[in-house]
Amino acid sequence: MAAKDRDRFSTATRIRLLGEQTAARVYRSQTRRQARRSRLTGRAAFLALVVCSLVVALAYPMRSYVSQQGEIAEQERRAAEAARRVEELKDEKARLQDPAYVRRLAREHLHYVLPGETGFTVNDPDAEQRPRGEQGAADRPWYDNLWDGVDHADRP
């Protein structure tokens, strides 16, 4: 037993025990520090910073690109509509070159008659029963609208 006590108080034994205790403390502090430390490393933080910078840098150009694509689509639609209207006007111009078509329009819209024909107008039999106020300005002759304007000009 004396040999065992001597080993316990020997310098080598004390240094070995002290080293083991220190190693245990270091190991415990490292495990606590690792538990507290987040998993975000410096490289990951730098990568996140670069990605965020790229997103911010590209946000405005992408917004401009998308809005310009919308404007281009709108202009293409307008160009197609204008081309369709041009074709309609060319067709109308070609029809107006035909004297028979012009004669028919004059007869329908201007109530023209050819020599030897008798022109007549069919009156609406219900026109007398309708009050004058129901007729719109477009339904009346122009001179009625003119006189109504003169009559109403002095009224408050």
Side-chain angles (χ1 to χ4, degrees):
M1 205 163 193
K4 192 175 183 190
D5 286 336
R6 237 183 300 145
D7 277 345
R8 197 169 93 183
F9 294 114
S10 72
T11 306
T13 305
R14 277 194 236 152
I15 290 176
R16 186 173 39 88
L17 284 174
L18 188 62
E20 288 174 1
Q21 290 171 356
T22 306
R25 275 191 230 126
V26 168
Y27 178 73
R28 276 184 290 186
S29 69
Q30 283 179 348
T31 56
R32 275 191 237 136
R33 196 177 323 142
Q34 286 176 352
R36 275 185 275 143
R37 186 176 11 173
S38 67
R39 299 191 185 267
L40 184 67
T41 63
R43 287 182 183 173
F46 182 71
L47 180 63
L49 179 67
V50 168
V51 169
C52 289
S53 299
L54 287 175
V55 167
V56 169
L58 294 177
Y60 181 74
M62 286 303 294
R63 183 175 150 259
S64 297
Y65 173 77
V66 169
S67 67
Q68 287 174 358
Q69 290 300 318
E71 290 175 11
I72 288 171
E74 176 67 19
Q75 291 299 328
E76 287 174 349
R77 185 192 61 77
R78 285 184 182 176
E81 185 178 323
R84 182 188 53 79
R85 180 71 178 136
V86 165
E87 289 300 319
E88 288 176 1
L89 291 174
K90 283 182 181 178
D91 291 344
E92 182 70 19
K93 182 180 176 183
R95 281 193 301 258
L96 288 173
Q97 299 298 323
D98 183 19
Y101 180 72
V102 173
R103 197 174 301 121
R104 189 189 80 174
L105 287 178
R107 291 174 69 112
E108 286 177 5
H109 297 290
L110 302 175
H111 305 290
Y112 280 13
V113 291
L114 294 175
E117 292 181 351
T118 305
F120 60 94
T121 305
V122 177
N123 291 328
D124 185 12
D126 297 330
E128 293 176 4
Q129 296 172 357
R130 279 186 295 202
R132 194 158 165 83
E134 284 184 13
Q135 291 180 338
D139 296 335
R140 297 183 304 194
W142 65 271
Y143 47 85
D144 282 344
N145 293 333
L146 177 69
W147 283 119
D148 282 346
V150 170
D151 288 341
H152 295 305
D154 291 340
R155 291 186 187 164

